[in-house]
Amino acid sequence: MPKPILKWAGGKRQILAQIRGHFPPEEDINSYHEPFFGGGAIFFRETHKDTASINDVNTRLMNFYEIVRERPGELIEILSGFDHPESEPDTSRPYSKQSESGDKIDNYYYQQRELFNRRPRDLAFDEVEEAALLLYLNRTCFNGLYRENQSGEFNVPCGSYTNPDWVQESRIKKASKALKGVEIYNEDFSYIIDQAKEGDLVYCDPPYDPNGEASTFSEYSSGAFGKEEQERLRDVALKLNDKGVNVVISNAPSVGEIYQAFNEDGFRVSRVGAKRSINSDGESRGEVKEVIITNAIEMRERDTHLTEYTF
């Protein structure tokens, strides 16, 4: 069974069973879609459909999954050639002494980070190395965060690991097989209105409301996902509902209120708990509350043990 390759803020491995309990029976699902893919914990654990689509607004992230699907051997080969993050910088490559802004490069990790941030401007851009750098940084940075500044540059500092595994060979090979035949998009989440058909399942795990109980670090790209975007997602969910598409959304409790008026359309909101292992503040990790919003009628209560949440 494939497992997520990347660490990703907001990952759903802790509440897989609860989310899956809201899905219709697998035999009743035609195609599966994830408009906010991230680390893909739900897809890799639960999806066995012949047809599916995945999407994320993060261009580098979706390039990574395209490379995993199409060129896993090349990706593994490049990763195998990388050094420990605390090693000396590679003097044969750029940024071995200082960054483009003049900051001192202390070790191999910061050289790799600078290369990653400058690659889009590089005439010799290599999409496989881009994917390799993303995985390397993800597996060696502080807490496995993915964070961009307002300029779109990855700015997470080096983590402290004795023997980090950034190659992830087994996971890459299994994920490559799971992604065969899957359509990969780098679009706005509204692509799903045209993509999903009656009888399909759409699972959405958007960036959470930064003011909600279940907030995690949501700045995984330089763009924001605020109240207007959450309302736009709700409107997309309503359009999918009108098409006969099954919709399941995990979100912060504060967002559940905007679906309350649509109970008559079949949307139900349930509250669940989830443990957060990725947080910039170590004291803030632990159990938080989330809600699952769905129009799927057939709920497997024996798996979820949930009560409907009232606002």
Side-chain angles (χ1 to χ4, degrees):
M1 178 182 297
K3 296 180 179 179
I5 308 168
L6 299 170
K7 299 178 181 180
W8 209 256
K12 292 296 176 288
R13 281 174 282 185
Q14 298 288 343
I15 55 172
L16 279 173
Q18 294 163 305
I19 293 173
R20 186 65 180 86
H22 289 75
F23 288 2
E26 187 169 338
E27 60 271 17
D28 294 342
I29 301 171
N30 294 332
S31 295
Y32 176 83
H33 311 276
E34 275 199 46
F36 303 89
F37 194 64
I42 302 297
F43 173 87
F44 288 123
R45 174 62 178 83
E46 299 292 347
T47 304
H48 309 287
K49 306 307 295 181
D50 294 331
T51 58
S53 77
I54 62 174
N55 174 75
D56 201 281
V57 71
N58 188 314
T59 300
R60 286 170 153 174
L61 179 65
M62 300 323 284
N63 172 71
F64 174 78
Y65 287 116
E66 287 185 351
I67 297 303
V68 169
R69 181 185 65 186
E70 302 296 335
R71 303 164 72 177
E74 295 175 59
L75 177 61
I76 292 168
E77 182 177 2
I78 292 176
L79 287 163
S80 298
F82 288 162
D83 291 335
H84 192 280
E86 296 180 3
S87 299
E88 293 294 319
D90 182 351
T91 57
S92 70
R93 304 213 65 195
Y95 308 113
S96 62
K97 294 183 179 180
Q98 66 180 31
S99 69
E100 193 170 277
S101 61
D103 295 330
K104 182 181 177 181
I105 297 293
D106 294 322
N107 57 32
Y108 188 79
Y109 171 87
Y110 288 106
Q111 182 183 27
Q112 294 288 75
R113 191 179 75 173
E114 190 71 8
L115 286 167
F116 181 70
N117 285 331
R118 304 306 159 200
R119 291 192 62 75
R121 310 173 199 172
D122 187 351
L123 295 177
F125 178 80
D126 182 335
E127 58 191 5
V128 183
E129 186 167 3
E130 171 88 349
L133 285 169
L134 173 60
L135 179 53
Y136 177 83
L137 293 172
N138 178 261
R139 285 287 173 175
T140 58
C141 74
F142 176 74
N143 262 349
L145 285 169
Y146 187 92
R147 182 181 66 196
E148 293 180 356
N149 60 24
Q150 291 300 311
S151 299
E153 296 181 347
F154 180 76
N155 65 354
V156 182
C158 184
S160 178
Y161 303 95
T162 302
N163 189 29
D165 177 12
W166 59 79
V167 179
Q168 297 289 310
E169 180 174 356
S170 175
R171 293 194 182 199
I172 288 173
K173 289 179 177 178
K174 290 179 180 179
S176 181
K177 293 180 180 179
L179 288 167
K180 294 299 183 186
V182 173
E183 296 184 68
I184 298 177
Y185 292 90
N186 176 216
E187 307 284 350
D188 179 83
F189 62 84
S190 60
Y191 89 99
I192 199 61
I193 296 173
D194 294 327
Q195 181 71 17
K197 309 300 181 186
E198 182 177 1
D200 287 2
L201 170 63
V202 174
Y203 169 62
C204 297
D205 182 32
Y208 282 7
D209 174 9
N211 297 314
E213 291 178 55
S215 293
T216 59
F217 192 83
S218 61
E219 297 170 3
Y220 64 93
S221 70
S222 54
F225 202 92
K227 181 179 179 181
E228 290 185 2
E229 292 297 283
Q230 295 286 1
E231 291 177 342
R232 193 162 65 87
L233 174 58
R234 175 204 60 198
D235 294 341
V236 167
L238 291 171
K239 290 179 181 179
L240 294 173
N241 182 65
D242 291 341
K243 292 178 64 175
V245 176
N246 297 292
V247 180
V248 177
I249 303 170
S250 50
N251 216 317
S254 57
V255 176
E257 296 180 2
I258 68 175
Y259 292 85
Q260 187 178 13
F262 301 98
N263 289 341
E264 293 182 1
D265 293 306
F267 281 94
R268 169 177 172 168
V269 181
S270 300
R271 191 162 183 155
V272 299
K275 291 184 178 179
R276 284 282 176 263
S277 59
I278 295 179
N279 193 300
S280 56
D281 179 2
E283 295 182 358
S284 298
R285 298 174 210 161
E287 187 174 48
V288 296
K289 295 296 182 181
E290 304 189 21
V291 293
I292 297 176
I293 304 153
T294 182
N295 66 344
I297 303 301
E298 296 187 36
M299 306 278 290
R300 291 191 284 176
E301 299 288 354
R302 64 182 182 278
D303 294 331
T304 58
H305 304 292
L306 299 176
T307 57
E308 191 162 355
Y309 185 56
T310 303
F311 294 93

